[in-house]
Amino acid sequence: MSSSPHDISLPGPPRVEEVSADVYAYVQPDGTWWINNTGFLVGRRGVISVDACSTERRTRAYLDAIKTVTPQPVRTLVNTHHHGDHTFGNHLFHGATVVGHEGVREGIRAWGPPRSAPFWTDVEWGDFEPEPPFLTYTEGVTLWVDDLRCEVRHVGTAAHTTNDSILWIPERRVLFAGDLLFNGGTPFLVQGSIAGAVDVLENVLAPLGAETIVAGHGPVAGPELIDDVLGYLRFVQDTARRGREAGLSPLDTARETDLGRYADLADKERIVGNLHRAYAELGGAAPGATIDAVAALADMVAYNGGRPLSCHA
């Protein structure tokens, strides 16, 4: 990939990792804002991709990386949720069937084009046109890579978003988790649910018995990652409860909170957005209920010293 015209120079070069026979993770360091992981599965007649990337440059680099493994075309693109780091590059998968939950289609159409200001540092998004899934489901769909069964499942409740799906390969014990899991980065649930995410990790992901997990951001991991993320989510819930009882705003609670073992996670300002969501749930909001995301992002910028959030996509 070093000779590709689509090289990624910051913060580090992406890498292709074969996590099982003909099953690959595409890991983009350092997994911070708008820098996601994808993956692909290679069959005799074509490729299934799990997600796209955020920018034209990054998505083209990903497609170049697939070509270093196989000349077969990407015939199917699965979106794990609607966020732009996983979907803005959909339109570059020419000829592929784009598959996703019905909420992914709705979310992409509602989001519109990519934009940096005023919350993130400038990003060179490149060419863009919206390409929502045109094959949708409500509960799930089974894909086959030759004779290998791949189960795409909506997780049943709001978690990272209201439309999260996983791709599970039972024969290989490999899980593509989308942004239900972050490895080395702070989870982000402003458009989802803290309580819902706890439920999904405990009752959907953990019982699978995955041995290899490709998170939405960060290095490939093992099953211990589920407990790591659960610990952070419970920390957010406990922090929100104490802050709300003290009459503090989410921003003030975040400012007074020692992140402790979570202080080294990337994008730590997400604690503020997560507290906005947790406060809403403590106030009786249902999982996935709409909250003021703009206010949450503005408070995150304030927590960041008034500076836009750093993005190297």
Side-chain angles (χ1 to χ4, degrees):
M1 287 187 291
S2 61
S3 62
S4 164
H6 309 298
D7 277 351
I8 306 299
S9 57
L10 283 175
R15 59 185 181 271
V16 174
E17 297 184 24
E18 188 169 17
V19 297
S20 186
D22 295 322
V23 180
Y24 299 85
Y26 183 72
V27 179
Q28 296 195 94
D30 56 358
T32 53
W33 285 113
W34 301 96
I35 304 176
N36 67 310
N37 295 333
T38 60
F40 59 100
L41 301 86
V42 179
R44 290 191 300 270
R45 297 182 56 206
V47 173
I48 294 174
S49 176
V50 184
D51 285 325
C53 304
S54 59
T55 68
E56 179 187 5
R57 179 176 59 119
R58 285 187 174 273
T59 302
R60 291 193 184 280
Y62 171 46
L63 291 168
D64 287 348
I66 294 174
K67 291 175 184 176
T68 69
V69 174
T70 176
Q72 295 292 341
V74 178
R75 299 177 64 194
T76 308
L77 169 61
V78 178
N79 288 149
T80 59
H81 60 290
H82 75 280
H83 283 168
D85 48 342
H86 297 257
T87 64
F88 282 157
N90 280 4
H91 67 288
L92 298 173
F93 290 75
H94 304 296
T97 299
V98 186
V99 182
H101 185 265
E102 288 182 352
V104 175
R105 179 175 176 83
E106 296 166 2
I108 291 175
R109 289 163 66 92
W111 189 287
R115 51 196 179 273
S116 307
F119 302 118
W120 290 279
T121 53
D122 287 339
V123 176
E124 184 180 339
W125 299 104
D127 290 337
F128 168 79
E129 61 181 86
E131 180 67 50
F134 55 89
L135 177 60
T136 62
Y137 55 84
T138 56
E139 296 182 1
V141 64
T142 301
L143 302 177
W144 295 88
V145 183
D146 302 332
D147 293 325
L148 183 65
R149 182 185 182 94
C150 304
E151 299 174 1
V152 179
R153 307 182 191 171
H154 179 249
V155 296
T157 188
H160 174 63
T161 69
T162 59
N163 50 68
D164 300 298
S165 291
I166 59 173
L167 187 144
W168 167 236
I169 310 173
E171 182 179 321
R172 306 287 182 81
R173 319 310 294 175
V174 173
L175 173 65
F176 286 87
D179 281 3
L180 294 165
L181 295 174
F182 287 69
N183 187 10
T186 304
F188 191 49
L189 299 101
V190 165
Q191 289 193 313
S193 170
I194 308 291
V198 169
D199 178 55
V200 167
L201 267 59
E202 288 182 335
N203 298 309
V204 179
L205 268 57
L208 293 174
E211 296 175 0
T212 303
I213 296 176
V214 182
H217 298 258
V220 175
E224 69 282 351
L225 181 59
I226 296 173
D227 285 337
D228 291 345
V229 175
L230 275 169
Y232 176 80
L233 298 177
R234 293 186 178 115
F235 169 76
V236 171
Q237 289 179 316
D238 291 343
T239 301
R241 192 173 297 109
R242 290 194 300 269
R244 193 168 182 267
E245 289 173 355
L248 299 175
S249 69
L251 176 58
D252 287 339
T253 297
R255 284 172 166 162
E256 294 192 7
T257 296
D258 180 357
L259 294 176
R261 61 184 289 199
Y262 305 110
D264 291 333
L265 294 179
D267 303 318
K268 62 182 180 180
E269 67 274 0
R270 292 176 182 167
I271 182 66
V272 187
N274 293 333
L275 287 171
H276 271 263
R277 171 57 63 181
Y279 270 49
E281 293 180 358
L282 288 170
T290 299
I291 66 172
D292 190 342
V294 171
L297 285 165
D299 277 356
M300 289 161 62
V301 170
Y303 182 87
N304 196 45
R307 301 179 303 273
L309 311 178
S310 295
C311 181
H312 301 291

